[in-house]
Amino acid sequence: MSLFENTLKQIEKAAKIMSLEPEIKSILEVPQREIEVSLPVRMDDGSLKIFKGFRVQHNNACGPYKGGFRYHQQVDKEEVKALSAWMTIKCSVVGIPLGGAKGGVIVDPKLLSEGELEKLTRKYVQLTAANIGPAIDVPAPDVNTNPKMMDWFADEYSKIQGKDMKGVVTGKTLAAGGSKGRGEATAQGGCYVLHEYATSIGMEPSKTRVVIQGFGNAGAIAAKLLAADGYEIVGTSDSKGGIVCTHGIDPAGLLACKVEKGSVVDCGVHVSELKGMDGSTCKKVTNEELLETECDILVLAALENQVTAENADKIKAKMILELANGPVTPEADEILAKKGVVVVPDILANAGGVTVSYFEMLQNADNKYWEEDDVKAKLKDIMVKAWQEVKANADKYKCILREAAFITALARIAAKIKEKKLI
Ligand code: GLU
């Protein structure tokens, strides 16, 4: 089943529960625009390579299209379509006036030099420039894309337009007009939601063991924030594998080791010794073993389709926080619900990223910049309010949080479509 079919299933389930008008549902079942581009890049060795890229603009009823773009060897059109639809829903869950889009290029960025990545990014801008802009479609970072690339993006687009148009993209460095707090926003937003949930069930951080799949932008920052709140991080991983420890992991120590050695897999001894142990208290695990580790909270901060019909039954966590997009399949959702595992869905849990992107758009438009505390306070307000609305819908419709989040979002989108007389 393609990832987009998963998204359609999720829409279908929520639409049924809330009795959404079929016409509204049919509009959301197809993206409004799908762009496919070929990107010729002169490589360092003099050869010419043509990369394939996409930008899918799913829906703009609520505002300009918004969503990141990723560089990954497994990018495909169906995946980008799914991710674009999730952006429409995500922006609506948190009630920010934006639509949904997503982009991607089929490339393993680890195989390209910095110069080649810059050329690729600038080509991607040139080929999509006619269909993007601060009031049309505003890209941002996603898997394997970062603030430096967003700066190239803004620079290239501004050159094409012949004026400063930094608002075309978010997630830029501070020097290029980025927002304070954007780098931490995805993890920070997820932690605010987790805090609300934990408080509601009387979960005590010091007695709560957390496993985090993915120690990249979202996962490593979540580890830092959760450890600071008193949670015990007992396992984590990256694309090369993971480690599980019998004691809490020091996130800062692990990050320093990962930067030096290239992967968390080789950091077990170091992490153990940081706790004053003899180096043997952390063991190497595969990705599968990590997901099935005994813990209270499993944070999924890697890629999509990680918990599926095959392994859902083996998950031991009591709760899953989805910082990645689409890490739990619809089939797995059903198995987890039966087991009583609570899943805080991506479209709520990781919406902090796009929320601070929206703040960046406001700051760029105003040419006035906010303090970090201000960004955090505004983010917290939005995340807590979204959590309360989703929880209220889960109680009202007696459904799981994902369905409740879709219901919250679909109701707002439907109202906009009618208000603007789009049909
Ligand atoms: N790529 C992030 C997401 O999936 C952020 C998107 C944005 O900031 O526009 O939500």
Side-chain angles (χ1 to χ4, degrees):
M1 187 187 290
S2 81
L3 202 64
F4 190 56
E5 283 167 330
N6 285 357
T7 318
L8 294 179
K9 249 194 188 169
Q10 294 168 339
I11 294 177
E12 178 76 43
K13 277 189 190 171
K16 204 167 160 192
I17 299 171
M18 69 190 290
S19 304
L20 183 72
E21 293 95 317
E23 286 189 351
I24 303 275
K25 180 164 84 75
S26 64
I27 286 179
L28 297 172
E29 279 168 349
V30 268
Q32 288 178 321
R33 188 183 284 135
E34 298 175 28
I35 302 162
E36 204 167 315
V37 290
S38 296
L39 310 164
V41 174
R42 179 73 59 201
M43 306 299 279
D44 293 346
D45 66 3
S47 67
L48 189 76
K49 260 206 182 130
I50 317 274
F51 296 92
K52 189 170 259 321
F54 308 97
R55 183 75 185 165
V56 176
Q57 296 171 332
H58 176 258
N59 191 276
N60 64 356
C62 294
Y65 301 108
K66 185 81 192 82
F69 65 101
R70 58 176 58 182
Y71 288 163
H72 198 276
Q73 58 278 19
Q74 273 153 12
V75 160
D76 68 54
K77 178 83 121 4
E78 290 303 294
E79 177 195 45
V80 182
K81 274 166 71 174
L83 292 161
S84 73
W86 283 327
M87 287 310 304
T88 304
I89 302 290
K90 189 186 301 186
C91 291
S92 185
V93 171
V94 287
I96 54 177
L98 296 170
K102 200 77 166 202
V105 176
I106 307 171
V107 58
D108 181 353
K110 292 190 189 92
L111 304 180
L112 268 61
S113 68
E114 178 159 322
E116 290 166 343
L117 282 171
E118 179 170 351
K119 285 187 213 164
L120 178 70
T121 306
R122 288 182 184 275
K123 261 288 173 256
Y124 184 65
V125 181
Q126 290 161 18
L127 272 291
T128 53
N131 292 296
I132 56 174
I136 303 170
D137 179 0
V138 182
D142 197 69
V143 174
N144 293 333
T145 49
N146 58 37
K148 190 186 258 178
M149 295 169 183
M150 301 307 122
D151 291 0
W152 294 332
F153 199 112
D155 180 65
E156 187 63 29
Y157 187 78
S158 297
K159 280 186 178 137
I160 293 168
Q161 302 297 332
K163 55 187 169 184
D164 173 6
M165 302 230 33
K166 57 169 90 70
V168 69
V169 67
T170 59
K172 302 177 291 288
T173 62
L174 291 183
S179 173
K180 288 188 174 138
R182 176 63 185 86
E184 303 211 328
T186 304
Q188 183 72 73
C191 290
Y192 288 144
V193 174
L194 174 61
H195 180 75
E196 292 302 302
Y197 171 75
T199 312
S200 75
I201 60 157
M203 190 185 248
E204 276 182 54
S206 63
K207 293 187 187 139
T208 307
R209 293 156 308 158
V210 183
V211 165
I212 304 180
Q213 186 205 27
F215 203 70
N217 181 32
I221 295 172
K224 183 181 97 178
L225 296 174
L226 291 174
D229 277 349
Y231 290 90
E232 196 180 28
I233 316 296
V234 294
T236 189
S237 67
D238 54 35
S239 58
K240 300 202 176 77
I243 52 168
V244 169
C245 305
T246 53
H247 47 71
I249 295 172
D250 166 32
L254 176 57
L255 187 59
C257 176
K258 182 185 153 117
V259 170
E260 193 196 317
K261 303 210 167 159
S263 167
V264 298
V265 185
D266 300 315
C267 294
V269 171
H270 180 69
V271 164
S272 174
E273 285 171 355
L274 279 178
K275 287 273 159 178
M277 313 282 176
D278 66 1
S280 67
T281 51
C282 295
K283 66 171 196 277
K284 285 188 189 182
V285 290
T286 61
N287 182 42
E288 292 72 47
E289 288 166 339
L290 183 92
L291 295 176
E292 294 161 20
T293 299
E294 195 81 52
C295 65
D296 301 293
I297 299 177
L298 176 60
V299 178
L300 298 174
L303 286 169
E304 52 262 16
N305 286 342
Q306 298 301 303
V307 180
T308 64
E310 267 80 71
N311 63 355
D313 215 23
K314 298 185 202 131
I315 300 294
K316 299 191 186 69
K318 299 180 188 72
M319 182 216 160
I320 292 179
L321 185 73
E322 292 186 328
L323 288 187
N325 290 307
V328 175
T329 65
E331 295 74 26
D333 254 347
E334 281 170 24
I335 299 169
L336 293 169
K338 276 196 197 113
K339 271 165 63 98
V341 180
V342 174
V343 179
V344 181
D346 48 8
I347 48 172
L348 170 64
N350 73 27
V354 72
T355 301
V356 177
S357 274
Y358 168 56
F359 297 165
E360 186 173 329
M361 290 168 72
L362 296 179
Q363 293 170 76
N364 288 162
D366 241 15
N367 203 18
K368 244 192 222 151
Y369 291 83
W370 310 352
E371 288 310 321
E372 184 155 0
D373 284 350
D374 222 14
V375 171
K376 279 194 184 164
K378 289 188 167 85
L379 173 64
K380 187 173 182 184
D381 278 354
I382 288 183
M383 297 307 297
V384 170
K385 187 163 165 265
W387 159 258
Q388 288 165 346
E389 285 177 349
V390 169
K391 181 76 180 67
N393 271 331
D395 293 342
K396 176 176 168 191
Y397 292 101
K398 300 196 178 12
C399 61
I400 59 171
L401 292 172
R402 189 184 315 280
E403 289 158 354
F406 268 85
I407 290 171
T408 308
L410 291 172
R412 269 202 262 272
I413 298 166
K416 265 286 168 235
I417 290 176
K418 285 180 215 157
E419 179 195 316
K420 289 189 174 173
K421 298 196 174 24
L422 297 177
I423 48 171

